[in-house]
Amino acid sequence: YDHAELHVLQESLRAYKTAYSWKEFYRILGDVILYVPGDVNGDGEVDIADANSVIEIIINGGNSGHTRAPDDDGEIAMGQVTGDVNGDGEVNIVTILMAMPSVSKAYIYDENGFMYIEHDDLTAAVYNCPDDVDTLRIPSHVTYNGLTYTVTSIRYIVNPYPSNGIRADDVVHISMPNTIKTIEDNAFENLYSLRSVDMSNSLTSIGDSAFRSCSLESINIPGTVTSIGRSAFASCWHLTHMDLSNTSISKIEEDTFWGCMNLESIDLPSSVTTIGRNAFAASRLKHIELPEGVTTIGYGAFSDCDSLKSVTLPESLATIMGWAFGYCTALQEMFIPRGVNSISPDLSIKLFLSL
């Protein structure tokens, strides 16, 4: 399969590319079937700007028909069809017609066993990793067919069907280059043995569930990060401390640290305005100090934090939603800033209005 191409329908392209059993093809291409209004000027032809980029066109008109690859003149003879599009007697589909190379993405393999997905701007995303290592060192660049791609994102790292029986979830340490800007959704999810990560100092975003259910003991989040997705560190049971103080995130998203049963402390940045639903639920936080600028504490944000003994709330706070501190059995009292105008009635602790 070293030089074999697989052509599939465009709507099925993602499914084929994410199916490990098809990885042997060096390139998987999506063929476009366009549904457009019928030609109407009586010549039975549809004018197309780039005829060679289309495998099949189905015309929806009074009489439908289809044809295979068009003639060199850029027109497709359709027989008798009816209907008009914009009054000029032709069907203009230039804006929705794309040449296959700009739509399709090819797999790239390197000598170290990494697999990537190429992008048109000569960047690449890590899509899979070698099977037989406990330390992953992700390259900053990969060369393929004479072109050098910069590795800027990590899409997915687990190989569920390794050839040698060693799963990628045996990885203990990951080192990423400073070219990485994005860790995509679920990138490292369920890497149960993963204890440490050398993060890129150019990283800007961490996707949903990116590190969910890993065994991280500590992780250094660089100051370049502007967003951390939902459940990004959920169920990281070995995580004891998190320092986000140098980042510029504006929200701790839903379930971000849910179930981090050994998380005792966290440093938040001054840019945070919202603590999302169940953000720290079922963690072991002992004290929480929310920075000035936080306006909302979401539903169940600190619920089931049975080690939480003290909370410092900012004057900027306006809303404390339901069960925000539910079942925080060690929390006996809390001072509420004067600016708070909405407090859930289910708070089972003593509340004092700040002077």
Side-chain angles (χ1 to χ4, degrees):
Y1 298 105
D2 288 346
H3 300 286
E5 289 187 355
L6 175 65
H7 286 259
V8 298
L9 293 179
Q10 181 67 31
E11 57 264 33
S12 303
L13 182 61
R14 179 176 175 83
Y16 276 90
K17 284 195 169 186
T18 55
Y20 190 76
S21 56
W22 296 97
K23 77 178 185 66
E24 298 299 332
F25 285 92
Y26 106 96
R27 188 183 293 267
I28 302 178
L29 304 177
D31 294 334
V32 176
I33 293 181
L34 296 176
Y35 293 85
V36 296
D39 161 65
V40 291
N41 61 2
D43 64 358
E45 294 181 328
V46 177
D47 186 46
I48 306 173
D50 188 3
N52 291 326
S53 66
V54 179
I55 300 300
E56 181 175 12
I57 291 184
I58 295 178
I59 302 297
N60 295 326
N63 297 309
S64 298
H66 72 275
T67 185
R68 287 294 174 182
D71 305 326
D72 292 337
D73 64 359
E75 295 180 327
I76 297 179
M78 298 300 300
Q80 185 64 40
V81 291
T82 59
D84 195 353
V85 185
N86 57 8
D88 64 357
E90 293 181 340
V91 179
N92 184 0
I93 58 174
V94 176
T95 57
I96 60 174
L97 207 54
M98 299 291 290
M100 287 303 98
S102 64
V103 175
S104 304
K105 307 300 175 194
Y107 283 151
I108 299 175
Y109 298 88
D110 68 13
E111 66 277 8
N112 298 313
F114 284 93
M115 183 169 70
Y116 311 84
I117 295 179
E118 67 170 333
H119 300 302
D120 295 333
D121 59 356
L122 292 182
T123 63
V126 176
Y127 188 75
N128 229 321
C129 71
D131 302 332
D132 55 354
V133 296
D134 59 6
T135 297
L136 281 181
R137 302 189 184 280
I138 298 171
S140 60
H141 295 82
V142 58
T143 300
Y144 182 74
N145 280 349
L147 297 175
T148 298
Y149 296 82
T150 302
V151 181
T152 59
S153 61
I154 300 172
R155 179 167 298 186
Y156 197 59
I157 212 72
V158 174
N159 179 351
Y161 305 110
S163 58
N164 59 6
I166 300 175
R167 284 180 55 91
D169 57 13
D170 291 329
V171 173
V172 174
H173 176 74
I174 292 176
S175 177
M176 63 180 69
N178 291 328
T179 55
I180 297 294
K181 296 181 179 181
T182 303
I183 299 174
E184 300 188 24
D185 296 350
N186 312 104
F188 303 106
E189 185 178 13
N190 295 332
L191 292 186
Y192 303 117
S193 299
L194 182 62
R195 297 194 194 100
S196 60
V197 179
D198 295 334
M199 302 286 268
S200 164
N201 61 19
S202 300
L203 188 67
T204 59
S205 63
I206 299 173
D208 294 349
S209 299
F211 292 94
R212 187 184 181 103
S213 299
C214 293
S215 295
L216 291 172
E217 297 170 351
S218 64
I219 188 168
N220 181 30
I221 307 297
T224 51
V225 170
T226 58
S227 66
I228 297 177
R230 295 175 296 176
S231 303
F233 297 95
S235 299
C236 288
W237 297 341
H238 298 277
L239 198 61
T240 59
H241 175 72
M242 177 65 75
D243 185 358
L244 302 176
S245 60
N246 293 321
T247 70
S248 56
I249 60 175
S250 60
K251 181 179 181 180
I252 306 297
E253 295 285 354
E254 177 180 337
D255 296 330
T256 300
F257 296 98
W258 177 90
C260 292
M261 296 187 296
N262 287 298
L263 182 65
E264 295 184 352
S265 60
I266 187 165
D267 296 321
L268 297 174
S270 58
S271 54
V272 168
T273 61
T274 302
I275 308 298
R277 182 186 182 100
N278 296 325
F280 296 96
S283 67
R284 194 171 287 181
L285 290 173
K286 295 180 177 180
H287 171 74
I288 186 71
E289 182 174 355
L290 299 183
E292 282 296 332
V294 171
T295 60
T296 303
I297 300 176
Y299 185 93
F302 298 96
S303 61
D304 294 298
C305 292
D306 53 14
S307 296
L308 187 62
K309 294 182 178 180
S310 64
V311 175
T312 301
L313 301 178
E315 291 299 320
S316 56
L317 189 64
T319 301
I320 302 176
M321 300 186 69
W323 294 101
F325 296 93
Y327 301 106
C328 293
T329 55
L331 185 61
Q332 300 299 315
E333 59 185 35
M334 185 167 58
F335 288 86
I336 304 298
R338 288 184 175 274
V340 173
N341 52 43
S342 177
I343 302 177
S344 172
D346 53 41
L347 289 176
S348 57
I349 54 178
K350 295 179 181 178
L351 303 178
F352 297 92
L353 187 65
S354 297
L355 297 177

